[in-house]
Amino acid sequence: MPGTAVIGCQFGDEGKGKIVDVLAAESDLVVRFNGGANAGHTVQVGSDSFAFRLLPSGIIRPNVLNVIGNGVVVDPGQLLEEIDGLRQRGYAVENLRVSDRAHVVMPWHKALDTLEEGVKGGMAAETTKRGIGPAFEDKVGRWGIRVTDILDPIVLRKKLESYLPAKHRIILALGGTESFVLERIFNQYREFATRLQEFVADAGFVVHEALANGKSVLFEGAQGTHLDVDHGIYPYGTSSNCVAAAACVGSGVGPAAIGRVIGVVKAFTSRVGAGPFPTELDGKEAEYLRERGGGEYGTVTRRPRRVGWLDLVMVRLSARVNGLTDLAVTKLDVLGGLETVPVAFAYDHYDEELRAFPANMHVLAECNPVYEELTGWEDLPPEEWRRIAANGFGALPKEAQAYVRWIEKELGAKLAFVSVGRGREDTIDLRRTTVTPRPTARLTEGPTPAAPRSPRRSAKSHRAK
Ligand code: GDP
Ligand code: IMO
Ligand code: MG
């Protein structure tokens, strides 16, 4: 039976952890397939809150097998910290498997993350500094150390002897002074290996077996489509593929393993880090969105998230590149209390209306959003949203219903979930029992413009916060 992928459609932090947690109740296996400890996925169960970095969001359900796939870069120290943290909270964590083929984040990756950002000037993405970019650079450049390598002292030593001198030269060239002692790293990573050994498996085989035996498999995406290294706002995104197709490569199964792709769309837009953001708000409006519904602060870094209105130009691209079949719209509660809710349906680029998301970052920075103003709905307290969620979609304020239906129509994917609060109970499930047929994509975007106009106009300069 093909599985379901849950994918972020914006700049990450759309509420993927929450949707995965809800779906995990009916799943046998949850697999993370991309990113690393740059992710922060929040799961709220009653008054208990979990912020998962590397662990899949099904880990607190003992009957669900949780897999960290080969596509993830694993920081072993961070993973062990998460495992220890959960054990202290009474979870056994026996339901975890870690791919033997996943690459490992090494101490020089973190050092290089900071150094590389420091020399990139305006091109720096303002990363989470978790060593993610350099770890993926090493993977692709064939300098990587994999989980299977740290289990083997001979291979680990050989790789450290081969790679460390070159890494020191790069660190020096970038203005760094840090020097790593081979023996110390060897011992530290051997200790990590001893502790992680019990979880290590041929993860691709595990996922394949589950699918072959008719189990329900959930592919948990990290980051979001507009942080994807191919389809996102390059170079202001992350270093892995975050789109649905990456779920196969990053878990070790074929494309037919995915039958349903649920795109998670926050009812507005937020991002942490640098880069153009056409619908970004500042002042009072930004504060309104940032401070409500639990607050928009980074789960990993606690940085205040930049916020703006929903941008359908962005999300339309996400619907296409992910082949979305279904939609989950989150944080609808946060928009309560506004007279009208603006949604960008196109960009104005020198009086030309663009419906396609530009590839060129200068063009994107020159774009002004063209808004449709939708009627707002009342501000309600959390307990009222919970009551509404219990009564289903029809209980939502009719303007809120119109808002999400409008998004659904624009994206051509079936509305599956509406989320109106942090908890499991604050979720409306609209799924049909049958598998959603793939909608015929309404590709109304048109091609992207090739180059910026000259002379350049800073219609909407992007700000790094
Ligand atoms: P992820 O990275 O996509 O898993 O998202 P994060 O966990 O980083 O950020 C989403 C935040 O929004 C978390 O604090 C969630 O608890 C919270 N959240 C998720 N859905 C809703 C919702 O519908 N309403 C409100 N108010 N908060 C939500
Ligand atoms: P989840 O899975 C939001 C952003 C960083 C930075 C850029 C590159 O919780 O949605 P990196 O450390 O990956 O090299 O940083 O990507 N970023 C995220 N933003 N949510 C995330 O993950 C993110 N992971 C990375 O802020 O701009
Ligand atoms: Mg997050």
PDB file of all heavy atoms in Angstrom, residues 11-14 16 32 38-41 113 125-133 221-224 227 236-239 271-274 299-300 303 305, ligand 2:
ATOM      1  N   PHE A  11       8.053  28.286   3.996  1.00  0.00           N
ATOM      2  CA  PHE A  11       9.456  28.371   4.429  1.00  0.00           C
ATOM      3  C   PHE A  11       9.724  27.517   5.671  1.00  0.00           C
ATOM      4  O   PHE A  11      10.558  27.867   6.500  1.00  0.00           O
ATOM      5  CB  PHE A  11       9.799  29.817   4.772  1.00  0.00           C
ATOM      6  CG  PHE A  11       9.797  30.774   3.607  1.00  0.00           C
ATOM      7  CD1 PHE A  11       8.929  31.854   3.582  1.00  0.00           C
ATOM      8  CD2 PHE A  11      10.694  30.624   2.551  1.00  0.00           C
ATOM      9  CE1 PHE A  11       8.941  32.767   2.535  1.00  0.00           C
ATOM     10  CE2 PHE A  11      10.722  31.526   1.500  1.00  0.00           C
ATOM     11  CZ  PHE A  11       9.834  32.600   1.483  1.00  0.00           C
ATOM     12  N   GLY A  12       9.019  26.429   5.851  1.00  0.00           N
ATOM     13  CA  GLY A  12       9.171  25.617   7.067  1.00  0.00           C
ATOM     14  C   GLY A  12       8.264  26.133   8.171  1.00  0.00           C
ATOM     15  O   GLY A  12       7.611  27.184   8.036  1.00  0.00           O
ATOM     16  N   ASP A  13       8.166  25.353   9.253  1.00  0.00           N
ATOM     17  CA  ASP A  13       7.374  25.720  10.427  1.00  0.00           C
ATOM     18  C   ASP A  13       5.886  25.897  10.110  1.00  0.00           C
ATOM     19  O   ASP A  13       5.196  26.698  10.752  1.00  0.00           O
ATOM     20  CB  ASP A  13       7.920  27.003  11.090  1.00  0.00           C
ATOM     21  CG  ASP A  13       9.366  26.862  11.496  1.00  0.00           C
ATOM     22  OD1 ASP A  13       9.784  25.727  11.799  1.00  0.00           O
ATOM     23  OD2 ASP A  13      10.076  27.880  11.504  1.00  0.00           O
ATOM     24  N   GLU A  14       5.385  25.140   9.156  1.00  0.00           N
ATOM     25  CA  GLU A  14       3.969  25.260   8.776  1.00  0.00           C
ATOM     26  C   GLU A  14       3.068  24.514   9.754  1.00  0.00           C
ATOM     27  O   GLU A  14       1.845  24.686   9.726  1.00  0.00           O
ATOM     28  CB  GLU A  14       3.750  24.681   7.366  1.00  0.00           C
ATOM     29  CG  GLU A  14       4.497  25.402   6.247  1.00  0.00           C
ATOM     30  CD  GLU A  14       5.883  24.799   6.007  1.00  0.00           C
ATOM     31  OE1 GLU A  14       6.345  23.994   6.848  1.00  0.00           O
ATOM     32  OE2 GLU A  14       6.498  25.160   4.998  1.00  0.00           O
ATOM     33  N   LYS A  16       4.021  20.966  10.378  1.00  0.00           N
ATOM     34  CA  LYS A  16       4.146  19.583   9.889  1.00  0.00           C
ATOM     35  C   LYS A  16       4.125  18.583  11.052  1.00  0.00           C
ATOM     36  O   LYS A  16       3.489  17.537  10.961  1.00  0.00           O
ATOM     37  CB  LYS A  16       5.472  19.417   9.112  1.00  0.00           C
ATOM     38  CG  LYS A  16       5.581  20.306   7.887  1.00  0.00           C
ATOM     39  CD  LYS A  16       6.935  20.193   7.227  1.00  0.00           C
ATOM     40  CE  LYS A  16       8.079  20.728   8.063  1.00  0.00           C
ATOM     41  NZ  LYS A  16       8.067  22.184   8.285  1.00  0.00           N
ATOM     42  N   ARG A  32      11.518  10.061   8.696  1.00  0.00           N
ATOM     43  CA  ARG A  32      12.099  11.356   8.312  1.00  0.00           C
ATOM     44  C   ARG A  32      13.070  11.081   7.177  1.00  0.00           C
ATOM     45  O   ARG A  32      13.844  10.124   7.231  1.00  0.00           O
ATOM     46  CB  ARG A  32      12.878  11.950   9.497  1.00  0.00           C
ATOM     47  CG  ARG A  32      12.079  12.818  10.472  1.00  0.00           C
ATOM     48  CD  ARG A  32      11.924  14.283  10.043  1.00  0.00           C
ATOM     49  NE  ARG A  32      13.159  14.945   9.662  1.00  0.00           N
ATOM     50  CZ  ARG A  32      13.935  15.657  10.472  1.00  0.00           C
ATOM     51  NH1 ARG A  32      13.604  15.806  11.726  1.00  0.00           N
ATOM     52  NH2 ARG A  32      15.033  16.235  10.017  1.00  0.00           N
ATOM     53  N   ASN A  38      18.368  20.870  12.009  1.00  0.00           N
ATOM     54  CA  ASN A  38      17.847  22.227  11.740  1.00  0.00           C
ATOM     55  C   ASN A  38      16.326  22.250  11.901  1.00  0.00           C
ATOM     56  O   ASN A  38      15.734  23.302  12.098  1.00  0.00           O
ATOM     57  CB  ASN A  38      18.252  22.700  10.331  1.00  0.00           C
ATOM     58  CG  ASN A  38      17.969  21.674   9.238  1.00  0.00           C
ATOM     59  OD1 ASN A  38      17.640  20.519   9.527  1.00  0.00           O
ATOM     60  ND2 ASN A  38      18.108  22.076   7.996  1.00  0.00           N
ATOM     61  N   ALA A  39      15.700  21.092  11.834  1.00  0.00           N
ATOM     62  CA  ALA A  39      14.246  21.013  11.969  1.00  0.00           C
ATOM     63  C   ALA A  39      13.845  21.165  13.436  1.00  0.00           C
ATOM     64  O   ALA A  39      14.599  20.817  14.342  1.00  0.00           O
ATOM     65  CB  ALA A  39      13.745  19.674  11.438  1.00  0.00           C
ATOM     66  N   GLY A  40      12.657  21.678  13.646  1.00  0.00           N
ATOM     67  CA  GLY A  40      12.053  21.730  14.973  1.00  0.00           C
ATOM     68  C   GLY A  40      10.572  21.481  14.784  1.00  0.00           C
ATOM     69  O   GLY A  40       9.866  22.353  14.279  1.00  0.00           O
ATOM     70  N   HIS A  41      10.125  20.286  15.102  1.00  0.00           N
ATOM     71  CA  HIS A  41       8.726  19.921  14.868  1.00  0.00           C
ATOM     72  C   HIS A  41       8.002  19.806  16.204  1.00  0.00           C
ATOM     73  O   HIS A  41       8.351  18.956  17.033  1.00  0.00           O
ATOM     74  CB  HIS A  41       8.646  18.601  14.088  1.00  0.00           C
ATOM     75  CG  HIS A  41       9.191  18.714  12.697  1.00  0.00           C
ATOM     76  ND1 HIS A  41       9.188  17.687  11.798  1.00  0.00           N
ATOM     77  CD2 HIS A  41       9.747  19.764  12.043  1.00  0.00           C
ATOM     78  CE1 HIS A  41       9.730  18.097  10.653  1.00  0.00           C
ATOM     79  NE2 HIS A  41      10.079  19.353  10.786  1.00  0.00           N
ATOM     80  N   ASP A 113      29.963  25.875   9.135  1.00  0.00           N
ATOM     81  CA  ASP A 113      28.660  26.527   8.941  1.00  0.00           C
ATOM     82  C   ASP A 113      28.778  28.012   9.302  1.00  0.00           C
ATOM     83  O   ASP A 113      28.385  28.903   8.531  1.00  0.00           O
ATOM     84  CB  ASP A 113      27.606  25.828   9.821  1.00  0.00           C
ATOM     85  CG  ASP A 113      26.181  26.055   9.329  1.00  0.00           C
ATOM     86  OD1 ASP A 113      25.988  26.931   8.474  1.00  0.00           O
ATOM     87  OD2 ASP A 113      25.268  25.358   9.822  1.00  0.00           O
ATOM     88  N   ALA A 125      22.402  32.737   4.249  1.00  0.00           N
ATOM     89  CA  ALA A 125      20.994  32.376   4.463  1.00  0.00           C
ATOM     90  C   ALA A 125      20.568  32.557   5.915  1.00  0.00           C
ATOM     91  O   ALA A 125      19.411  32.389   6.242  1.00  0.00           O
ATOM     92  CB  ALA A 125      20.757  30.933   4.039  1.00  0.00           C
ATOM     93  N   GLU A 126      21.535  32.922   6.776  1.00  0.00           N
ATOM     94  CA  GLU A 126      21.283  32.956   8.228  1.00  0.00           C
ATOM     95  C   GLU A 126      20.843  31.579   8.687  1.00  0.00           C
ATOM     96  O   GLU A 126      19.709  31.370   9.115  1.00  0.00           O
ATOM     97  CB  GLU A 126      20.272  34.040   8.579  1.00  0.00           C
ATOM     98  CG  GLU A 126      20.797  35.420   8.254  1.00  0.00           C
ATOM     99  CD  GLU A 126      19.850  36.528   8.666  1.00  0.00           C
ATOM    100  OE1 GLU A 126      18.705  36.256   9.055  1.00  0.00           O
ATOM    101  OE2 GLU A 126      20.274  37.692   8.571  1.00  0.00           O
ATOM    102  N   THR A 127      21.729  30.651   8.583  1.00  0.00           N
ATOM    103  CA  THR A 127      21.413  29.248   8.870  1.00  0.00           C
ATOM    104  C   THR A 127      21.190  29.027  10.368  1.00  0.00           C
ATOM    105  O   THR A 127      21.448  29.916  11.187  1.00  0.00           O
ATOM    106  CB  THR A 127      22.565  28.307   8.428  1.00  0.00           C
ATOM    107  OG1 THR A 127      23.654  28.475   9.336  1.00  0.00           O
ATOM    108  CG2 THR A 127      23.028  28.583   7.011  1.00  0.00           C
ATOM    109  N   THR A 128      20.799  27.812  10.694  1.00  0.00           N
ATOM    110  CA  THR A 128      20.584  27.454  12.098  1.00  0.00           C
ATOM    111  C   THR A 128      21.919  27.116  12.778  1.00  0.00           C
ATOM    112  O   THR A 128      21.924  26.802  13.966  1.00  0.00           O
ATOM    113  CB  THR A 128      19.645  26.233  12.204  1.00  0.00           C
ATOM    114  OG1 THR A 128      20.227  25.151  11.475  1.00  0.00           O
ATOM    115  CG2 THR A 128      18.264  26.534  11.640  1.00  0.00           C
ATOM    116  N   LYS A 129      23.008  27.118  12.004  1.00  0.00           N
ATOM    117  CA  LYS A 129      24.375  26.839  12.527  1.00  0.00           C
ATOM    118  C   LYS A 129      24.488  25.428  13.100  1.00  0.00           C
ATOM    119  O   LYS A 129      25.265  25.188  14.019  1.00  0.00           O
ATOM    120  CB  LYS A 129      24.784  27.864  13.599  1.00  0.00           C
ATOM    121  CG  LYS A 129      24.617  29.325  13.199  1.00  0.00           C
ATOM    122  CD  LYS A 129      25.698  29.789  12.239  1.00  0.00           C
ATOM    123  CE  LYS A 129      25.701  31.293  12.057  1.00  0.00           C
ATOM    124  NZ  LYS A 129      24.521  31.839  11.373  1.00  0.00           N
ATOM    125  N   ARG A 130      23.723  24.516  12.575  1.00  0.00           N
ATOM    126  CA  ARG A 130      23.789  23.141  13.051  1.00  0.00           C
ATOM    127  C   ARG A 130      24.673  22.262  12.175  1.00  0.00           C
ATOM    128  O   ARG A 130      24.625  21.033  12.259  1.00  0.00           O
ATOM    129  CB  ARG A 130      22.370  22.536  13.136  1.00  0.00           C
ATOM    130  CG  ARG A 130      21.426  23.220  14.135  1.00  0.00           C
ATOM    131  CD  ARG A 130      22.096  23.473  15.463  1.00  0.00           C
ATOM    132  NE  ARG A 130      21.186  23.782  16.551  1.00  0.00           N
ATOM    133  CZ  ARG A 130      20.869  25.009  16.969  1.00  0.00           C
ATOM    134  NH1 ARG A 130      21.343  26.083  16.362  1.00  0.00           N
ATOM    135  NH2 ARG A 130      20.083  25.170  18.022  1.00  0.00           N
ATOM    136  N   GLY A 131      25.421  22.889  11.265  1.00  0.00           N
ATOM    137  CA  GLY A 131      26.351  22.128  10.423  1.00  0.00           C
ATOM    138  C   GLY A 131      25.689  21.448   9.236  1.00  0.00           C
ATOM    139  O   GLY A 131      26.289  20.578   8.585  1.00  0.00           O
ATOM    140  N   ILE A 132      24.448  21.836   8.943  1.00  0.00           N
ATOM    141  CA  ILE A 132      23.669  21.127   7.920  1.00  0.00           C
ATOM    142  C   ILE A 132      24.276  21.301   6.525  1.00  0.00           C
ATOM    143  O   ILE A 132      24.520  20.311   5.815  1.00  0.00           O
ATOM    144  CB  ILE A 132      22.199  21.629   7.931  1.00  0.00           C
ATOM    145  CG1 ILE A 132      21.585  21.492   9.335  1.00  0.00           C
ATOM    146  CG2 ILE A 132      21.379  20.935   6.868  1.00  0.00           C
ATOM    147  CD1 ILE A 132      21.559  20.101   9.902  1.00  0.00           C
ATOM    148  N   GLY A 133      24.531  22.553   6.129  1.00  0.00           N
ATOM    149  CA  GLY A 133      25.082  22.810   4.786  1.00  0.00           C
ATOM    150  C   GLY A 133      26.392  22.059   4.584  1.00  0.00           C
ATOM    151  O   GLY A 133      26.524  21.254   3.643  1.00  0.00           O
ATOM    152  N   GLY A 221       8.198  15.208   6.054  1.00  0.00           N
ATOM    153  CA  GLY A 221       9.120  16.192   5.482  1.00  0.00           C
ATOM    154  C   GLY A 221       9.611  17.157   6.541  1.00  0.00           C
ATOM    155  O   GLY A 221       8.910  17.466   7.499  1.00  0.00           O
ATOM    156  N   ALA A 222      10.846  17.623   6.358  1.00  0.00           N
ATOM    157  CA  ALA A 222      11.357  18.713   7.187  1.00  0.00           C
ATOM    158  C   ALA A 222      11.556  19.935   6.290  1.00  0.00           C
ATOM    159  O   ALA A 222      11.596  19.811   5.066  1.00  0.00           O
ATOM    160  CB  ALA A 222      12.666  18.314   7.848  1.00  0.00           C
ATOM    161  N   GLN A 223      11.650  21.101   6.896  1.00  0.00           N
ATOM    162  CA  GLN A 223      11.731  22.383   6.188  1.00  0.00           C
ATOM    163  C   GLN A 223      10.509  22.557   5.266  1.00  0.00           C
ATOM    164  O   GLN A 223       9.465  21.991   5.563  1.00  0.00           O
ATOM    165  CB  GLN A 223      13.055  22.513   5.410  1.00  0.00           C
ATOM    166  CG  GLN A 223      14.293  22.682   6.306  1.00  0.00           C
ATOM    167  CD  GLN A 223      14.818  21.398   6.890  1.00  0.00           C
ATOM    168  OE1 GLN A 223      15.044  20.430   6.167  1.00  0.00           O
ATOM    169  NE2 GLN A 223      15.026  21.355   8.180  1.00  0.00           N
ATOM    170  N   GLY A 224      10.677  23.301   4.189  1.00  0.00           N
ATOM    171  CA  GLY A 224       9.516  23.548   3.327  1.00  0.00           C
ATOM    172  C   GLY A 224       9.981  23.706   1.891  1.00  0.00           C
ATOM    173  O   GLY A 224      11.179  23.860   1.616  1.00  0.00           O
ATOM    174  N   LEU A 227      12.398  26.315   0.884  1.00  0.00           N
ATOM    175  CA  LEU A 227      13.766  26.181   1.407  1.00  0.00           C
ATOM    176  C   LEU A 227      14.499  25.067   0.657  1.00  0.00           C
ATOM    177  O   LEU A 227      15.684  24.842   0.878  1.00  0.00           O
ATOM    178  CB  LEU A 227      13.743  25.857   2.911  1.00  0.00           C
ATOM    179  CG  LEU A 227      13.181  26.915   3.864  1.00  0.00           C
ATOM    180  CD1 LEU A 227      13.134  26.375   5.297  1.00  0.00           C
ATOM    181  CD2 LEU A 227      14.004  28.192   3.830  1.00  0.00           C
ATOM    182  N   TYR A 236      18.951  31.156  -0.399  1.00  0.00           N
ATOM    183  CA  TYR A 236      18.478  31.464   0.956  1.00  0.00           C
ATOM    184  C   TYR A 236      17.686  30.327   1.594  1.00  0.00           C
ATOM    185  O   TYR A 236      16.873  30.560   2.473  1.00  0.00           O
ATOM    186  CB  TYR A 236      17.643  32.755   0.932  1.00  0.00           C
ATOM    187  CG  TYR A 236      18.439  33.943   0.429  1.00  0.00           C
ATOM    188  CD1 TYR A 236      18.228  34.452  -0.849  1.00  0.00           C
ATOM    189  CD2 TYR A 236      19.409  34.531   1.225  1.00  0.00           C
ATOM    190  CE1 TYR A 236      18.971  35.522  -1.319  1.00  0.00           C
ATOM    191  CE2 TYR A 236      20.164  35.609   0.762  1.00  0.00           C
ATOM    192  CZ  TYR A 236      19.935  36.094  -0.514  1.00  0.00           C
ATOM    193  OH  TYR A 236      20.682  37.148  -0.979  1.00  0.00           O
ATOM    194  N   GLY A 237      17.907  29.127   1.114  1.00  0.00           N
ATOM    195  CA  GLY A 237      17.197  27.986   1.692  1.00  0.00           C
ATOM    196  C   GLY A 237      18.147  27.056   2.412  1.00  0.00           C
ATOM    197  O   GLY A 237      19.229  27.455   2.840  1.00  0.00           O
ATOM    198  N   THR A 238      17.759  25.808   2.486  1.00  0.00           N
ATOM    199  CA  THR A 238      18.592  24.827   3.166  1.00  0.00           C
ATOM    200  C   THR A 238      19.334  23.971   2.132  1.00  0.00           C
ATOM    201  O   THR A 238      19.273  24.238   0.926  1.00  0.00           O
ATOM    202  CB  THR A 238      17.741  23.985   4.149  1.00  0.00           C
ATOM    203  OG1 THR A 238      18.611  23.217   4.962  1.00  0.00           O
ATOM    204  CG2 THR A 238      16.754  23.065   3.434  1.00  0.00           C
ATOM    205  N   SER A 239      20.020  22.923   2.587  1.00  0.00           N
ATOM    206  CA  SER A 239      20.908  22.179   1.687  1.00  0.00           C
ATOM    207  C   SER A 239      20.369  20.814   1.298  1.00  0.00           C
ATOM    208  O   SER A 239      21.110  19.998   0.759  1.00  0.00           O
ATOM    209  CB  SER A 239      22.277  22.024   2.351  1.00  0.00           C
ATOM    210  OG  SER A 239      22.838  23.291   2.554  1.00  0.00           O
ATOM    211  N   ARG A 271       8.876  33.082   8.127  1.00  0.00           N
ATOM    212  CA  ARG A 271      10.181  32.475   7.858  1.00  0.00           C
ATOM    213  C   ARG A 271      11.215  32.969   8.846  1.00  0.00           C
ATOM    214  O   ARG A 271      11.083  34.070   9.395  1.00  0.00           O
ATOM    215  CB  ARG A 271      10.631  32.682   6.416  1.00  0.00           C
ATOM    216  CG  ARG A 271      11.363  33.947   6.087  1.00  0.00           C
ATOM    217  CD  ARG A 271      12.336  33.699   4.931  1.00  0.00           C
ATOM    218  NE  ARG A 271      13.368  32.733   5.308  1.00  0.00           N
ATOM    219  CZ  ARG A 271      14.236  32.176   4.482  1.00  0.00           C
ATOM    220  NH1 ARG A 271      14.186  32.443   3.197  1.00  0.00           N
ATOM    221  NH2 ARG A 271      15.150  31.340   4.909  1.00  0.00           N
ATOM    222  N   VAL A 272      12.223  32.143   9.088  1.00  0.00           N
ATOM    223  CA  VAL A 272      13.388  32.584   9.842  1.00  0.00           C
ATOM    224  C   VAL A 272      14.546  32.624   8.847  1.00  0.00           C
ATOM    225  O   VAL A 272      14.599  31.824   7.934  1.00  0.00           O
ATOM    226  CB  VAL A 272      13.732  31.663  11.033  1.00  0.00           C
ATOM    227  CG1 VAL A 272      12.954  32.026  12.257  1.00  0.00           C
ATOM    228  CG2 VAL A 272      13.531  30.200  10.702  1.00  0.00           C
ATOM    229  N   GLY A 273      15.427  33.572   9.026  1.00  0.00           N
ATOM    230  CA  GLY A 273      16.568  33.672   8.122  1.00  0.00           C
ATOM    231  C   GLY A 273      16.346  34.700   7.030  1.00  0.00           C
ATOM    232  O   GLY A 273      15.275  35.317   6.932  1.00  0.00           O
ATOM    233  N   ALA A 274      17.394  34.850   6.197  1.00  0.00           N
ATOM    234  CA  ALA A 274      17.412  35.925   5.206  1.00  0.00           C
ATOM    235  C   ALA A 274      16.751  35.507   3.901  1.00  0.00           C
ATOM    236  O   ALA A 274      16.459  34.341   3.690  1.00  0.00           O
ATOM    237  CB  ALA A 274      18.868  36.302   4.940  1.00  0.00           C
ATOM    238  N   THR A 299      11.501  27.318  16.559  1.00  0.00           N
ATOM    239  CA  THR A 299      11.466  26.183  17.478  1.00  0.00           C
ATOM    240  C   THR A 299      12.889  25.787  17.879  1.00  0.00           C
ATOM    241  O   THR A 299      13.131  25.353  18.999  1.00  0.00           O
ATOM    242  CB  THR A 299      10.756  24.990  16.800  1.00  0.00           C
ATOM    243  OG1 THR A 299       9.506  25.459  16.297  1.00  0.00           O
ATOM    244  CG2 THR A 299      10.494  23.846  17.762  1.00  0.00           C
ATOM    245  N   VAL A 300      13.853  25.947  16.959  1.00  0.00           N
ATOM    246  CA  VAL A 300      15.231  25.550  17.217  1.00  0.00           C
ATOM    247  C   VAL A 300      16.024  26.708  17.826  1.00  0.00           C
ATOM    248  O   VAL A 300      16.688  26.560  18.847  1.00  0.00           O
ATOM    249  CB  VAL A 300      15.919  25.082  15.907  1.00  0.00           C
ATOM    250  CG1 VAL A 300      17.393  24.773  16.141  1.00  0.00           C
ATOM    251  CG2 VAL A 300      15.209  23.861  15.350  1.00  0.00           C
ATOM    252  N   ARG A 303      14.620  32.411  17.339  1.00  0.00           N
ATOM    253  CA  ARG A 303      14.636  33.693  16.628  1.00  0.00           C
ATOM    254  C   ARG A 303      13.203  34.101  16.311  1.00  0.00           C
ATOM    255  O   ARG A 303      12.388  33.237  15.960  1.00  0.00           O
ATOM    256  CB  ARG A 303      15.393  33.554  15.293  1.00  0.00           C
ATOM    257  CG  ARG A 303      16.880  33.393  15.445  1.00  0.00           C
ATOM    258  CD  ARG A 303      17.550  33.270  14.086  1.00  0.00           C
ATOM    259  NE  ARG A 303      17.355  31.957  13.481  1.00  0.00           N
ATOM    260  CZ  ARG A 303      17.837  31.601  12.293  1.00  0.00           C
ATOM    261  NH1 ARG A 303      18.524  32.474  11.565  1.00  0.00           N
ATOM    262  NH2 ARG A 303      17.643  30.397  11.810  1.00  0.00           N
ATOM    263  N   ARG A 305      10.255  34.906  14.130  1.00  0.00           N
ATOM    264  CA  ARG A 305      10.051  34.624  12.707  1.00  0.00           C
ATOM    265  C   ARG A 305       9.560  35.874  11.994  1.00  0.00           C
ATOM    266  O   ARG A 305       8.742  36.615  12.546  1.00  0.00           O
ATOM    267  CB  ARG A 305       9.031  33.502  12.540  1.00  0.00           C
ATOM    268  CG  ARG A 305       9.538  32.153  13.050  1.00  0.00           C
ATOM    269  CD  ARG A 305       8.443  31.087  12.996  1.00  0.00           C
ATOM    270  NE  ARG A 305       8.901  29.811  13.556  1.00  0.00           N
ATOM    271  CZ  ARG A 305       8.098  28.920  14.120  1.00  0.00           C
ATOM    272  NH1 ARG A 305       6.799  29.133  14.202  1.00  0.00           N
ATOM    273  NH2 ARG A 305       8.583  27.798  14.605  1.00  0.00           N
TER     274      ARG A 305
HETATM  275  P1  IMO B   2      11.303  22.827  10.082  1.00  0.00           P
HETATM  276  O1  IMO B   2      11.471  21.381   9.681  1.00  0.00           O
HETATM  277  C1  IMO B   2      12.238  27.032   9.323  1.00  0.00           C
HETATM  278  C2  IMO B   2      16.134  27.896   7.436  1.00  0.00           C
HETATM  279  C3  IMO B   2      17.151  28.659   8.266  1.00  0.00           C
HETATM  280  C4  IMO B   2      17.950  29.358   7.159  1.00  0.00           C
HETATM  281  C5  IMO B   2      17.960  28.319   6.044  1.00  0.00           C
HETATM  282  C6  IMO B   2      19.226  27.490   6.005  1.00  0.00           C
HETATM  283  O2  IMO B   2      11.152  23.041  11.538  1.00  0.00           O
HETATM  284  O3  IMO B   2      10.236  23.456   9.248  1.00  0.00           O
HETATM  285  P2  IMO B   2      20.189  25.548   7.539  1.00  0.00           P
HETATM  286  O4  IMO B   2      20.511  25.519   8.978  1.00  0.00           O
HETATM  287  O5  IMO B   2      19.186  24.547   7.094  1.00  0.00           O
HETATM  288  O6  IMO B   2      21.414  25.513   6.664  1.00  0.00           O
HETATM  289  O7  IMO B   2      19.543  27.006   7.307  1.00  0.00           O
HETATM  290  O8  IMO B   2      16.847  27.483   6.263  1.00  0.00           O
HETATM  291  N1  IMO B   2      15.582  26.665   8.063  1.00  0.00           N
HETATM  292  C7  IMO B   2      14.358  26.562   8.592  1.00  0.00           C
HETATM  293  N2  IMO B   2      13.386  27.482   8.766  1.00  0.00           N
HETATM  294  N3  IMO B   2      12.014  25.753   9.666  1.00  0.00           N
HETATM  295  C8  IMO B   2      12.955  24.809   9.481  1.00  0.00           C
HETATM  296  O9  IMO B   2      12.732  23.491   9.686  1.00  0.00           O
HETATM  297  C9  IMO B   2      14.210  25.208   8.955  1.00  0.00           C
HETATM  298  N4  IMO B   2      15.356  24.549   8.660  1.00  0.00           N
HETATM  299  C10 IMO B   2      16.178  25.456   8.109  1.00  0.00           C
HETATM  300  O10 IMO B   2      16.540  29.578   9.111  1.00  0.00           O
HETATM  301  O11 IMO B   2      17.272  30.481   6.662  1.00  0.00           O
END
